Amino acid sequence: MEPLAYVQLMKERYQSIGFPVYQWTVNDDAPLVRLAKPLSKSAVSMLTSGGVSKKGLPGFNPDARNDFRVDAIGRETPSNAFNVNDNFYRHDSADRDINCIFAIDRLRELAESGEIGSVTRHFWSGFMGRIYKRNYLIEEAAPAFARRLREDGTHVLVAVPACPLDHQTVGIVCRVVEESGIPTVCVSTARDITAQVKPPRSLFVNFPMGNPFGAVGDAATQRTILRQALAMVAESTKGGALVDAPLEWPEPFGCYLPEPDREYQLRK
């Protein structure tokens, strides 16, 4: 199926309940830092914006607005140790297999096989929900995150947005992290939003939001998508590269916009 036109679908939805046209971030170019060493010698980390938190800790606010929380998650954390709290995408797959949105098992496997040098000390979960304070994101929150990545000895960041607006937020984060000297790649399920914000490198996967790495238990596809994303880090020579993964979801899917009315949206 053709990629969903999320920008137009969201414009129609929110104008229908009385909101003005949203002004998306649109960039004409993108920064690019070349990888300084082979992937087989690089320390790789991963960020999800999918409201993923460790069990036993406070969950994310599922209706978050301007939440700049970023959790550091130890690299040995088992994949069944998480809760997902996010009302902006369908996470029933991630509830059953966190690797659908946060492919940490697959990343660890690539380290074990020698395809990457190592996994960094931490994975990351944050920048979820609806972030409208873009100046603060660019000037404060994303640079602070980049510093944490450098402290961890990160050579590559794989960033995985969850809901539509996350694609803008995470794209901006990738641009800031790249400008700090760390190569990034974004695994996108919203081609049009990603094309606007222009992260340094993006792999578009035409799957439903909530399944950027594939279906529950499909380790082979999850691994394939992660490998394709990492290959972009090694191979891209121009900022803003957007590559379409040669994969198809087995059935049609639509845009998930759960807010029932204007009053509900304003309460959030």
Side-chain angles (χ1 to χ4, degrees):
M1 60 179 277
E2 290 296 313
L4 291 175
Y6 282 99
V7 172
Q8 184 62 29
L9 289 167
M10 293 177 70
K11 175 183 176 181
E12 293 171 357
R13 173 61 185 274
Y14 288 106
Q15 283 193 289
S16 74
I17 54 176
F19 286 94
V21 175
Y22 179 71
Q23 298 301 312
W24 293 91
T25 293
V26 179
N27 293 304
D28 295 326
D29 54 19
L32 187 80
V33 174
R34 298 300 303 273
L35 188 61
K37 56 180 68 180
L39 281 171
S40 61
K41 297 184 182 301
S42 297
V44 183
S45 193
M46 184 175 290
L47 165 71
T48 177
S49 68
V52 176
S53 59
K54 289 181 66 176
K55 293 177 180 176
L57 297 178
F60 284 88
N61 174 1
D63 292 324
R65 181 193 296 265
N66 294 320
D67 184 353
F68 295 97
R69 168 183 167 184
V70 180
D71 289 1
I73 298 166
R75 65 183 165 197
E76 303 300 331
T77 305
S79 55
N80 62 355
F82 298 102
N83 290 316
V84 182
N85 294 280
D86 193 325
N87 285 341
F88 300 123
Y89 74 101
R90 295 189 185 278
H91 52 79
D92 46 332
S93 290
D95 291 335
R96 297 164 57 199
D97 178 5
I98 201 66
N99 291 285
C100 294
I101 188 76
F102 197 29
I104 57 175
D105 285 337
R106 308 291 83 84
L107 193 63
R108 287 187 284 234
E109 290 165 3
L110 296 191
E112 290 169 3
S113 68
E115 294 178 60
I116 62 172
S118 63
V119 175
T120 56
R121 289 181 300 164
H122 299 102
F123 301 112
W124 307 92
S125 178
F127 299 110
M128 63 84 64
R130 302 198 168 184
I131 291 181
Y132 298 114
K133 295 181 178 179
R134 281 172 270 183
N135 286 340
Y136 183 83
L137 176 67
I138 294 168
E139 297 168 7
E140 301 290 340
F145 176 56
R147 288 192 292 272
R148 297 173 77 181
L149 292 172
R150 288 197 299 274
E151 290 168 1
D152 244 18
T154 307
H155 299 131
V156 177
L157 175 68
V158 180
V160 192
C163 76
L165 198 58
D166 285 355
H167 281 73
Q168 174 172 270
T169 300
V170 171
I172 291 171
V173 170
C174 285
R175 292 172 61 91
V176 172
V177 170
E178 191 94 12
E179 288 171 346
S180 81
I182 299 172
T184 65
V185 61
C186 179
V187 181
S188 167
T189 52
R191 196 184 197 286
D192 56 343
I193 301 174
T194 297
Q196 291 182 154
V197 72
K198 273 192 169 51
R201 306 166 194 79
S202 301
L203 178 70
F204 170 65
V205 186
N206 197 14
F207 288 178
M209 290 189 180
N211 294 87
F213 290 104
V216 173
D218 188 355
T221 297
Q222 294 166 3
R223 198 177 300 113
T224 293
I225 292 168
L226 183 56
R227 282 178 174 141
Q228 290 176 353
L230 288 168
M232 290 192 68
V233 179
E235 298 167 4
S236 294
T237 59
K238 184 178 179 181
L242 176 56
V243 171
D244 297 318
L247 299 165
E248 291 289 339
W249 195 250
E251 57 190 16
F253 58 89
C255 176
Y256 178 66
L257 294 174
E259 298 84 355
D261 53 39
R262 178 181 173 85
E263 287 68 30
Y264 177 83
Q265 175 67 8
L266 289 172
R267 285 198 301 273
K268 293 194 303 181

